Amino acid sequence: MDLIPFRATRFVPDVVGDLASVTALPEEYPKDGSRPVSPYNVRQIIQPDADISAEAGRNAGARVTLRRWLSEGVLATDAEPALFVYDQSEAGTVIQRGLIGALHVSDDPSSGVLPHEEHFAASIPDRAEFMRTASADMEPLFCVYEGGGAASEVVDAVADRRRPMVRVTTEDGRTHRLWRITDKAAHATIARDLRDRAALIADGHHRYAAYQRLRAEHAHDEAWHYGLALLVDSAAYPPRLRAIHRVLPDLCLAEAVERAKGVCRVQETPREFESALRLLEYTPPDGISFLISDGDRHFLVTDVDRLAIELAMSGAAPPEWRNLDSAILHTLFIELVWDHSDDSDIAYVHGAREAVDRARRRNGTAVVLKPPDFSDVRAIAMAGGRVPYKSTSFGPKPRSGFVLRML
């Protein structure tokens, strides 16, 4: 893979004040209904309030806001290209550390960048149009790779020996630090080490697909052949992997249970949801299991019939899917057992409690999954496969707003 320095655009502390107030979690995390804590919060560009972009629309509004902030000195662009060391810590312990740079984009599977998850192709044109109109990368891809080499040594040496240029604590109590690497010898060392390594896209598949589209459109402009990315050594800082749950509206729990009995074991759990979750956590890691619930009653699904899995997946899925909970849920249960072929009304929810609460409100059924194993996800990606849409939630997510890349 190829990660290169770039001239970063950053918020100016003397103008915006506390840099924590201008950062945000990635775009897929919805706003809570309140305005950002700062009028210069990066979400005013990524997800602008209606009154900001009403005149020109979201995309043009983002471009206008970016250019205005640059002209007013809210944002400033560095004079020389750099890579950045970025880390996050909790209670004084570093939980993630990596490199921010411009990552080369390609359609070639051997390019060193490996998507691991399916995405909604219909959403890509909108994302590409937003980036094209704004002419900027505002949210880094989150990528992980098997490191342990010279690039990781440079990253740790910079963080251990130099004072950070940015150190802030966000509202969740997490501390974020940023260092700039302008030394060309360090750039060369990092480039040599990464050249024969592959990065797994942990978060940002739709953004990467949009990067690919924009690269094809700008074949003669090399700036568009790269996208903003955070690259983390997974050996030094293993990612946290969580499940994303499903809510199927209007699927009666009693009907879901009765139909499921034909292909698996279904056992009612205690009424306390936390007790039901513990039962799910204690199921064997190599077996397929999940909870189905309407918010009031909860059932544990185990011992799924292997022949039913084979028949459901015959010729339609990569072999690696046959032991993946989310794949079996969709191909066997949702599509066949529950005859729910329309994915458009399925809600994808990060929190287990939120999923069952939503099922109660919508008279539907929630499916609560276990987190997939990182090694399984990586093996599928290395084999050229992808897990179903919204099967994984990697963390911790990098905050948007510390570093932007203007095109």
Side-chain angles (χ1 to χ4, degrees):
M1 58 181 163
D2 182 18
L3 187 80
I4 66 171
F6 67 102
R7 293 178 61 220
T9 297
R10 298 179 292 108
F11 284 97
V12 178
D14 289 345
V15 177
V16 302
D18 182 12
L19 287 176
S21 70
V22 299
T23 67
L25 285 171
E27 181 182 3
E28 60 266 25
Y29 285 79
K31 292 189 289 187
D32 60 7
S34 61
R35 295 181 65 87
V37 293
S38 167
Y40 301 119
N41 190 280
V42 71
R43 274 200 168 168
Q44 300 286 34
I45 306 170
I46 300 169
Q47 291 179 303
D49 292 319
D51 59 333
I52 291 177
S53 59
E55 292 184 9
R58 175 185 183 240
N59 297 340
R63 182 181 180 89
V64 168
T65 301
L66 272 172
R67 271 57 189 178
R68 187 178 75 248
W69 286 356
L70 282 165
S71 66
E72 294 175 352
V74 174
L75 291 167
T77 301
D78 291 342
E80 58 184 324
L83 295 172
F84 293 84
V85 174
Y86 166 74
D87 74 13
Q88 302 185 54
S89 60
E90 291 177 339
T93 299
V94 176
I95 58 173
Q96 182 190 79
R97 178 177 289 161
L99 274 169
I100 295 177
L103 183 67
H104 188 257
V105 175
S106 174
D107 292 322
D108 184 351
S110 65
S111 67
V113 181
L114 302 173
H116 80 269
E117 188 175 72
E118 299 286 358
H119 60 263
F120 274 144
S123 69
I124 303 308
D126 286 343
R127 285 180 180 262
E129 175 62 23
F130 175 66
M131 294 180 187
R132 185 187 303 111
T133 305
S135 197
D137 294 340
M138 287 165 281
E139 297 184 280
L141 302 175
F142 172 23
C143 300
V144 297
Y145 76 108
E146 292 185 86
S152 297
E153 292 172 2
V154 171
V155 166
D156 285 335
V158 168
D160 293 341
R161 300 171 188 171
R162 289 170 44 186
R163 183 188 298 272
M165 62 186 299
V166 172
R167 180 190 176 98
V168 299
T169 301
T170 46
E171 71 280 355
D172 56 6
R174 192 169 289 172
T175 298
H176 304 256
R177 299 184 298 177
L178 193 71
W179 295 260
R180 182 168 49 195
I181 305 175
T182 56
D183 180 67
K184 292 183 179 179
H187 295 169
T189 298
I190 290 168
R192 284 193 300 270
D193 182 52
L194 298 181
R195 186 174 297 131
D196 296 323
R197 301 182 188 272
L200 178 81
I201 299 176
D203 187 66
H205 286 81
H206 291 89
R207 271 169 277 157
Y208 190 74
Y211 286 160
Q212 290 174 315
R213 176 180 286 249
L214 293 169
R215 180 187 186 278
E217 292 176 2
H218 299 80
H220 302 294
D221 186 348
E222 192 175 0
W224 292 87
H225 296 189
Y226 292 82
L228 190 64
L230 168 69
L231 193 63
V232 176
D233 180 347
S234 61
Y237 301 98
R240 300 174 179 178
L241 195 53
R242 295 177 177 153
I244 301 177
H245 315 292
R246 277 71 170 146
V247 178
L248 284 71
D250 304 321
L251 174 63
C252 171
L253 179 64
E255 181 181 357
V257 168
E258 194 59 35
R259 291 189 179 189
K261 287 179 179 178
V263 297
C264 64
R265 183 184 182 204
V266 185
Q267 176 186 4
E268 187 162 12
T269 70
R271 286 297 182 105
E272 296 79 13
F273 182 60
E274 286 70 23
S275 299
L277 274 181
R278 283 194 293 272
L279 285 176
L280 177 63
E281 291 170 2
Y282 293 146
T283 55
D286 57 349
I288 306 303
S289 57
F290 51 83
L291 284 175
I292 52 177
S293 170
D294 63 0
D296 296 314
R297 300 176 68 191
H298 323 294
F299 292 81
L300 182 65
V301 172
T302 57
D303 301 324
V304 181
D305 183 81
R306 299 305 306 187
L307 178 58
I309 294 173
E310 292 299 323
L311 291 172
M313 294 192 173
S314 178
E320 296 84 5
W321 278 29
R322 283 158 172 76
N323 293 309
L324 193 66
D325 289 19
S326 61
I328 293 169
L329 169 64
H330 276 268
T331 56
L332 176 58
F333 286 89
I334 292 179
E335 294 180 11
L336 296 178
V337 174
W338 296 328
D339 191 24
H340 194 96
S341 58
D342 182 9
D343 286 349
S344 62
D345 65 346
I346 296 176
Y348 297 87
V349 183
H350 285 261
R353 169 59 72 180
E354 180 188 351
V356 297
D357 288 345
R358 187 177 296 194
R360 182 188 293 113
R361 293 195 302 270
R362 300 186 65 179
N363 297 315
T365 295
V367 183
V368 176
L369 295 160
K370 293 185 300 184
D373 185 84
F374 176 49
S375 61
D376 291 339
V377 172
R378 183 169 55 194
I380 290 173
M382 293 293 288
R386 300 193 187 191
V387 303
Y389 175 71
K390 293 292 185 183
S391 290
T392 60
S393 177
F394 279 82
K397 311 287 188 188
R399 297 280 292 200
S400 302
F402 286 113
V403 176
L404 285 67
R405 177 173 176 260
M406 304 299 291
L407 290 159

